[in-house]
Amino acid sequence: MPVRVRSQAAFERSSQLIPGGVNSPARAFGAVGGQPLFIARSEGPYLFDLDGNRYLDYIGSWGPLILGHAHPRVVAAVEQAVRQGASFGAPTERESELADRIIAGVPSIEMVRMVSSGTEATMSAVRVARGYTGRDVVVKFAGCYHGHVDCLLVQAGSAATTLGVPNSPGIPKGCTADTLSLPYGDPQALADAFARRGDEIAGVILEPVAGNMGLVVPSAEFLCELRRLTHHHGSVLIYDEVMTGFRLAFGGAQELLGQMPDMTVLGKIVGGGFPVGAYGGRADIMMKVMPAGPVFQAGTLSGNPVAMAAGIATLDELRRLDPYAELDHLGGSLQAGLLALTKELGVPAVVNRCGSMWTLFFTPTPVTGYESAKTADTARFGRFFWAMMDRGFYLPCSQFEAAFCSVLHTEERIRETLVAAREALKAV
Ligand code: HOZ
């Protein structure tokens, strides 16, 4: 059993100073019991905690670190940028360099605006959709999470579900009065909603492959119906690709699935581990954004030069490596291995996966949406989590999150993971 005394002391201290001891609830270990590890440093696919324990990292900062930690080219780009100045509050060429790469890579994006987080990006995209259409209603799906935007914290996944508050207090009724939450992946519910309120719907926002209720891949029928209905009713279709952008393919889920939204929200990988979000889409929609158009949106640190440098270096390395087939292969090995183990050991479980994103759900029920995700045995998940942690494997601390492989999760490391998973599954 690894010693974790320094992490424990650090958590005791932070709990006196920061609510719950963490700066984002997804990091607290509330749902799995125990206390979070405090991280001292990282290297390639590994994290090292304050006590010097090493973990193979299957979170990668919740998605951004597809190249692994402290990638030398990203580090060099950041070092060079920060020497030139951390922030200017004025335009730099780096913003266009990153915008160029995003527009070239993501099929549906013709223009893009940089912000500093995924939350800011989804909030802004919804505002632009409303400003563009002159309508108020926004449709979201149960179990999807789009950051902590007031109007979208309705049946929200991720930590909101993990910690039992899918609808947060502190949000006035008025903020969610124009939010319609529908079951994820259900084409009939969608058709009914559009039949009732189609001409009021400004936009529909969704994770085209969901990662925030654990990993769930919707049917092609659902995505096609969504595109057809939004097009027919003049509503803006917004893909939240904060997790899936540059992850499932260079052009994200939309490239993989062959679907074109009107707007796309990005974050995580696009900032190479630095605080970056972005939203983009059709030029006629994006030209509504101030100062080109009337929809206000702003930010002191938007397009921050150091963060832009990290994003550019990350995307360039992904272009050079083109790792997506290999990532899919590694994800496939892990999925097949975990499924075989659960079968052999008689553990009721399903393993959902898309490319390098995956979730092991402790339920016999196929997981196709929020309700089926919630059938999972979260107590058993907690025991599995700790059994893996004690063997040096760092998984998301919630059943309702996706895990991520990086380009450094080699076949050998997947094999080591499966050896540990066999013992962990026996123990739970
Ligand atoms: N979007 C992340 C989980 N799905 C949240 C990470 C965090 O809040 O720290």
Side-chain angles (χ1 to χ4, degrees):
M1 176 82 82
V3 173
R4 300 198 179 102
V5 289
R6 291 194 176 176
S7 274
Q8 277 159 15
F11 185 59
E12 270 161 38
R13 177 167 184 235
S14 71
S15 299
Q16 304 299 315
L17 306 169
I18 300 169
V22 290
N23 278 311
S24 190
R27 296 170 202 176
F29 282 16
V32 289
Q35 299 178 349
L37 297 186
F38 275 58
I39 304 304
R41 65 184 185 88
S42 59
E43 203 180 291
Y46 297 112
L47 288 175
F48 296 84
D49 69 15
L50 286 185
D51 293 277
N53 302 305
R54 190 186 82 166
Y55 300 88
L56 182 60
D57 183 11
Y58 277 102
I59 302 185
S61 187
W62 301 97
L65 299 177
I66 191 168
L67 298 174
H69 291 274
H71 187 281
R73 289 185 191 207
V74 179
V75 171
V78 166
E79 277 176 357
Q80 193 202 7
V82 80
R83 276 199 202 96
Q84 292 168 345
S87 180
F88 311 121
T92 66
E93 287 185 309
R94 283 205 191 95
E95 291 155 74
S96 298
E97 284 179 31
L98 186 55
D100 232 350
R101 285 159 174 79
I102 292 171
I103 291 166
V106 183
S108 67
I109 297 187
E110 295 173 348
M111 295 188 93
V112 63
R113 171 61 70 85
M114 306 296 172
V115 292
S116 298
S117 71
T119 292
E120 252 188 280
T122 55
M123 176 184 76
S124 307
V126 167
R127 184 182 303 148
V128 172
R130 286 171 160 165
Y132 176 77
T133 56
R135 304 174 184 172
D136 290 339
V137 175
V138 58
V139 174
K140 80 169 293 281
F141 296 93
C144 285
Y145 173 73
H146 306 289
H148 58 97
V149 179
D150 279 356
C151 73
L152 300 176
L153 273 182
V154 178
Q155 292 191 298
S158 190
T161 288
T162 305
L163 301 176
V165 280
N167 310 295
S168 173
I171 297 176
K173 283 192 189 70
C175 286
T176 54
D178 291 311
T179 304
L180 262 183
S181 180
L182 301 179
Y184 189 71
D186 180 344
Q188 191 54 53
L190 197 59
D192 292 347
F194 269 95
R196 273 186 288 114
R197 304 189 65 181
D199 57 358
E200 293 172 69
I201 296 174
V204 180
I205 185 164
L206 82 161
E207 297 177 74
V209 170
N212 283 299
M213 50 184 129
L215 198 279
V216 177
V217 186
S219 68
E221 184 203 356
F222 171 70
L223 291 175
C224 287
E225 185 65 352
L226 186 54
R227 181 62 284 187
R228 189 186 70 74
L229 287 165
T230 45
H231 183 73
H232 180 73
H233 289 272
S235 308
V236 177
L237 176 57
I238 307 168
Y239 272 14
D240 179 343
E241 296 229 41
V242 167
M243 278 190 185
T244 55
F246 304 102
R247 160 68 62 183
L248 298 183
F250 193 81
Q254 58 196 266
E255 180 187 318
L256 186 76
L257 304 168
Q259 293 281 345
M260 289 282 273
D262 302 305
M263 295 185 79
T264 300
V265 178
L266 296 166
K268 311 241 189 221
I269 290 177
V270 81
F274 281 72
V276 178
Y279 65 99
R282 277 178 17 215
D284 63 319
I285 299 176
M286 290 304 291
M287 285 299 282
K288 296 289 179 202
V289 179
M290 191 169 270
V295 179
F296 191 84
Q297 183 271 310
T300 299
L301 292 173
S302 295
N304 173 268
V306 182
M308 295 296 101
I312 292 165
T314 300
L315 297 197
D316 285 353
E317 192 59 5
L318 286 172
R319 270 279 192 228
R320 193 182 71 78
L321 291 175
D322 191 12
Y324 298 101
E326 178 61 12
L327 282 168
D328 186 45
H329 174 74
L330 292 170
S333 300
L334 190 56
Q335 179 185 34
L338 288 171
L339 272 175
L341 285 176
T342 54
K343 219 177 196 169
E344 176 196 324
L345 299 170
V347 177
V350 295
V351 185
N352 282 2
R353 179 188 72 89
C354 189
S356 55
M357 295 172 69
W358 58 276
T359 301
L360 168 61
F361 289 98
F362 286 98
T363 174
T365 314
V367 178
T368 56
Y370 194 46
E371 292 309 317
S372 43
K374 286 194 294 183
T375 65
D377 181 344
T378 52
R380 186 173 239 179
F381 176 84
R383 294 195 296 276
F384 177 71
F385 167 85
W386 278 113
M388 290 300 283
M389 201 71 134
D390 290 346
R391 288 165 176 79
F393 296 84
Y394 192 76
L395 299 178
C397 51
S398 163
Q399 178 71 96
F400 308 109
E401 297 283 2
F404 302 90
C405 296
S406 77
V407 299
L408 302 176
H409 286 67
T410 55
E411 283 287 0
E412 180 55 27
R413 290 180 176 131
I414 300 286
R415 270 197 295 277
E416 290 166 10
T417 307
L418 291 171
V419 169
R422 167 187 284 277
E423 294 169 16
L425 285 168
K426 274 191 194 159
V428 304

